[in-house]
Amino acid sequence: MLDLQTQMKYAVAQAAVEEIKDGMVLGLGSGSTAALMIQAIGTKLAEGELTDIIGVTTSFQGEVLAAKLGIPLRTLSAVDHIDLAIDGADEVDSHFQLIKGGGACHVQEKLVASLAERFVIVVDSTKLVECLNLSFKLPVEVLPSAWRQVQNNLAKLNGIADLRMAKCKAGPVITDQGNLVLDVSFEGGIQNPEELESEINNIPGVLENGLFVNMADEVLVGEITNGVPGVRNLEKLG
Ligand code: 5RP
């Protein structure tokens, strides 16, 4: 029997795949929920329920999985548009502002999302928050040589930044681009995501941060009601 969170992830991944039409160029997100979505696309392709799709992945994780499932892939630079991008998130507020980057993939995820005509987020209900960054730290990808300098500059913005350390490897997490990740907490959470997103990206040595502001078009939420998994379309405030 799958745990409740995994059941919610399955349900929401399945619901998002229903939005895919034959012939679409798709942005394929990263993380455990996005991986279930890629699996579901692979199954539909294999069963002939989807044809002529092209995937653009956002990580090495997605590339390996999609290739194994036989999903035709192109690189980001080989496409001039993406019809629909589907991705997970670490936190979502009621204005559809997001924190992403729990899997350290937010650089490519933001590139793909910003090229997509439609950006759909798939989360389980544990990811919904009233205020961003109260419980999940904001990931910031930095050039390895600049991490201390960026850490000090983040402190000037009242951010406490920890270098993300690897598991099963000595030393820090290295991103798909060969960089490091700082995970940042701002006391009291993030009150103005739009302003903070550009302030952080203006620090020399920062590649990208995990705030996705005014990007999501739709948020699908997997939840359990009376023991049964289902999916809700989150209503956007403001
Ligand atoms: C990776 C991401 C993921 O989408 C995010 O971490 C959510 O992952 P999961 O679905 O495993 O909870 O942003 O960089």
Side-chain angles (χ1 to χ4, degrees), residues 103-108 140-147 150 163-166 169 171-182 205-208:
C105 308
H106 51 286
V107 171
Q108 292 188 55
V140 178
E141 181 160 335
V142 297
L143 272 182
S145 59
W147 80 271
V150 174
L163 186 61
R164 190 183 296 182
M165 302 307 283
K169 178 232 172 217
V173 165
I174 311 290
T175 69
D176 289 356
Q177 292 72 240
N179 297 311
L180 305 180
V181 176
L182 292 171
V206 169
L207 273 302
E208 189 54 84

Side-chain angles (χ1 to χ4, degrees), residues 25-29 37 54-58 82-87 112 116:
V25 179
L26 299 170
L28 304 176
M37 175 274 295
I54 287 168
V56 179
T57 56
T58 54
I82 291 173
D83 297 296
L84 169 67
I86 305 173
D87 205 345
V112 165

Side-chain angles (χ1 to χ4, degrees), residues 23-39:
M24 277 186 165
V25 179
L26 299 170
L28 304 176
S30 305
S32 57
T33 318
L36 293 173
M37 175 274 295
I38 295 172
Q39 290 271 11

Side-chain angles (χ1 to χ4, degrees), residues 58-188:
T58 54
S59 60
F60 191 70
Q61 176 210 27
E63 189 182 325
V64 170
L65 178 61
K68 189 172 123 195
L69 294 165
I71 299 174
L73 297 177
R74 296 242 175 100
T75 59
L76 184 60
S77 56
V79 297
D80 54 15
H81 81 287
I82 291 173
D83 297 296
L84 169 67
I86 305 173
D87 205 345
D90 300 295
E91 286 192 341
V92 181
D93 77 10
S94 51
H95 303 283
F96 286 17
Q97 315 298 28
L98 319 171
I99 288 184
K100 288 184 48 52
C105 308
H106 51 286
V107 171
Q108 292 188 55
E109 289 172 337
K110 203 180 275 192
L111 285 166
V112 165
S114 64
L115 193 61
E117 264 164 52
R118 191 165 167 73
F119 183 38
V120 174
I121 291 298
V122 283
V123 286
D124 61 80
S125 59
T126 65
K127 307 292 185 66
L128 302 182
V129 296
E130 278 184 22
C131 174
L132 296 174
N133 194 234
L134 286 177
S135 54
F136 196 89
K137 293 180 183 177
L138 177 67
V140 178
E141 181 160 335
V142 297
L143 272 182
S145 59
W147 80 271
R148 273 279 183 213
Q149 190 176 333
V150 174
Q151 189 182 45
N152 291 335
N153 278 311
L154 286 165
K156 290 178 195 157
L157 298 176
N158 295 321
I160 298 170
D162 300 321
L163 186 61
R164 190 183 296 182
M165 302 307 283
K167 297 195 174 86
C168 303
K169 178 232 172 217
V173 165
I174 311 290
T175 69
D176 289 356
Q177 292 72 240
N179 297 311
L180 305 180
V181 176
L182 292 171
D183 289 307
V184 195
S185 314
F186 294 90
E187 199 177 332

Side-chain angles (χ1 to χ4, degrees), residues 220-232:
L220 296 174
V221 184
E223 56 190 8
I224 305 283
T225 312
N226 300 327
V228 181
V231 176
R232 168 165 64 104

